Amino acid sequence: MDSKMFSSPGQKILRDMLSIPTAPFAEHLVVEYVERFCAKHESLKLTCDSVGNMLIHLRQGRRKIARPVCVTAHLDHPGFVAHRMLSAKRLQAFWRGGVPKEYFVGSRVRFWVDKTWVRGRVRSIKTVVSRGQRRAETASVEVPREIPAGSIGMWDLPEPKVRNGRVYARSCDDMAGAAAILSCINKLVRARHSCDAYFLLTRAEEVGFAGAIAATRLRTIPQRCFVVAMDTSSELPHARMGAGPILRVGDKTSAFTHATTAHCHHVAGLLAKKNRSFKHQRKLMDGGTCEASAYGALGFEATGVCLALGNYHNVDKKRKRIAPEYIDLNDFDNVVAWFVALARAEHPYTGRDENLLTLIREVELKNKRLLRTSRRQPR
Ligand SMILES: [Zn+2]
């Protein structure tokens, strides 16, 4: 691992989190990392709901923001969880997450046992049909020793590294999101910026937003918040890696709350004026569905922000094999800066896009007279 390339404190958090084993319904090691992080900072208030989603509240300075942001990310990545030994050197493991079934047999995997990785190879899978597609459900894995039930399994890919400004790792989706949140908090705390913001880390997103849905049912997110769901999303021809983090106007399933998207866009615009290196994009990312759709459907004003991702879910389609996911390191730094600005901004919430209305009023005023007078007499 070239740790020199992860230079800033935020990038070190990214490297740390990308190294932690995680899988849907087996996020406990990431949870422990977040707990240790929160314990270091007195000003953070960490609460966990009854299903283990983590809510962090940071309020500094005197100002209470009427409508604070709640930035969310998820703690899992598609992966295996050991179930039982079928024989001395054959493990049956659950598979959870969206990876096409063709990529399993023959692929190398690793299980986290007693603080070390034990490597193995998938020999066969059992599939089921769910939501119209045949998907892997369990895998039979050849292993050199007994793997205790509950051990986390991931694809056997190298430790995180930076190459040509890109970060290659097993689990950018969504450790990059979770790390962006902790990096943002770290910056706010160190600079003692006046702010009032919530951050939610959810469990089991990869099986269908299980944690996020529970968080809305359990009222984990304060009702006065608007939600910004942070994720990574397959790079698209119109949404390129390195061109800045992407404000999503919607996903494959729904369009997000316009006033909330507009607020995030406005905050990014102000940031770009102050900081010339800040870049961002505003796009429809319809490659998949993200948690913002669930938050929106379940009653929150919600939008999404993502980083363009290569080898989504570790699938290298060109070479037809399992490979590290990758993101652009500048995109990561820029999304952290964006979250810092959002945590400090007042959402001028009226259910309308006030900035767009101001613009409309300006052009209306400019053209009003000519529009009238040219009605019968062209000018
Ligand atoms: Zn995913």
Side-chain angles (χ1 to χ4, degrees):
M1 176 189 331
D2 191 352
S3 55
K4 267 184 258 158
M5 304 296 281
F6 290 96
S7 48
S8 69
Q11 292 173 3
K12 284 180 180 146
I13 292 173
L14 175 64
R15 180 201 59 203
D16 286 353
M17 296 195 86
L18 288 170
S19 313
I20 304 173
T22 187
F25 301 112
E27 301 89 350
H28 51 285
L29 298 175
V30 192
V31 168
E32 284 168 19
Y33 181 87
V34 177
E35 283 172 344
R36 284 197 299 275
F37 172 88
C38 290
K40 274 191 275 179
H41 302 290
E42 259 177 31
S43 46
L44 299 179
K45 192 172 158 236
L46 168 68
T47 46
C48 291
D49 65 18
S50 60
V51 301
N53 293 310
M54 311 177 90
L55 183 78
I56 305 167
H57 183 205
L58 174 61
R59 188 174 160 199
Q60 294 184 138
R62 268 167 293 162
R63 200 160 59 114
K64 183 175 179 181
I65 291 179
R67 199 167 174 82
V69 68
C70 180
V71 184
T72 77
H74 61 93
L75 298 163
D76 60 322
H77 178 77
F80 301 89
V81 176
H83 178 37
R84 62 190 174 118
M85 295 304 291
L86 297 169
S87 63
K89 295 202 168 169
R90 196 53 79 92
L91 166 76
Q92 187 185 48
F94 299 115
W95 167 257
R96 291 166 187 153
V99 171
K101 62 184 191 324
E102 296 74 23
Y103 285 80
F104 285 78
V105 176
S107 288
R108 290 173 186 276
V109 294
R110 43 165 84 180
F111 283 81
W112 186 249
V113 183
D114 300 330
K115 298 189 176 165
T116 183
W117 288 112
V118 178
R119 289 175 168 78
R121 195 186 282 270
V122 177
R123 287 300 175 203
S124 64
I125 54 168
K126 280 196 181 137
T127 60
V128 286
V129 176
S130 107
R131 281 174 281 142
Q133 252 188 339
R134 187 161 282 283
R135 299 164 198 265
E137 188 180 47
T138 60
S140 173
V141 185
E142 192 182 312
V143 286
R145 51 160 283 190
E146 189 188 338
I147 308 290
S151 302
I152 299 166
M154 302 185 82
W155 300 114
D156 185 22
L157 296 166
E159 293 308 309
K161 62 169 172 268
V162 179
R163 213 170 54 222
N164 300 329
R166 287 178 173 176
V167 180
Y168 292 78
R170 288 184 290 271
S171 54
C172 294
D173 170 19
D174 191 24
M175 286 306 102
I181 283 181
L182 295 198
S183 306
C184 162
I185 294 172
N186 194 50
K187 271 197 164 179
L188 289 164
V189 170
R190 277 167 194 263
R192 296 175 193 263
H193 282 315
S194 157
C195 64
D196 185 6
Y198 291 83
F199 303 90
L200 178 71
L201 295 163
T202 61
R203 297 188 52 219
E205 187 266 358
E206 299 291 351
V207 298
F209 317 143
I213 293 168
T216 65
R217 302 291 190 214
L218 295 166
R219 298 182 179 275
T220 307
I221 307 170
Q223 287 294 311
R224 66 190 180 98
C225 289
F226 67 95
V227 175
V228 176
M230 158 78 187
D231 208 338
T232 52
S233 190
S234 266
E235 184 182 31
L236 296 173
H238 69 286
R240 286 293 182 198
M241 195 172 296
I246 302 155
L247 177 61
R248 308 176 76 151
V249 297
D251 61 18
K252 193 177 168 182
T253 306
S254 75
F256 302 153
T257 311
H258 174 65
T260 306
T261 309
H263 170 63
C264 295
H265 198 210
H266 179 66
V267 168
L270 295 178
L271 196 56
K273 273 186 198 161
K274 269 199 285 183
N275 174 356
R276 285 180 157 251
S277 65
F278 179 80
K279 284 189 279 189
H280 73 290
Q281 315 178 57
R282 179 180 176 279
K283 305 284 177 190
L284 173 68
M285 299 298 280
D286 54 358
T289 305
C290 78
E291 287 182 325
S293 270
Y295 294 121
L298 295 169
F300 280 93
E301 310 289 344
T303 193
V305 165
C306 68
L307 300 184
L309 177 73
N311 291 343
Y312 171 72
H313 283 186
N314 306 110
V315 172
D316 181 342
K317 283 187 186 163
K318 257 191 221 152
R319 294 186 180 83
K320 293 194 167 37
R321 65 176 185 210
I322 293 294
E325 291 183 330
Y326 58 95
I327 55 167
D328 181 276
L329 196 53
N330 279 329
D331 287 352
F332 176 80
D333 288 340
N334 279 327
V335 85
V336 173
W338 199 350
F339 290 163
V340 168
L342 280 168
R344 305 184 67 204
E346 186 73 64
H347 187 342
Y349 187 78
T350 59
R352 304 183 304 185
D353 182 348
E354 290 301 329
N355 296 303
L356 178 58
L357 283 172
T358 305
L359 190 70
I360 288 174
R361 276 185 219 113
E362 275 172 26
V363 289
E364 186 184 19
L365 215 62
K366 195 176 145 212
N367 296 313
K368 209 170 168 182
R369 208 175 64 87
L370 193 55
L371 192 64
R372 262 208 210 111
T373 56
S374 62
R375 194 171 150 217
R376 292 189 197 273
Q377 199 175 8
R379 287 176 182 223

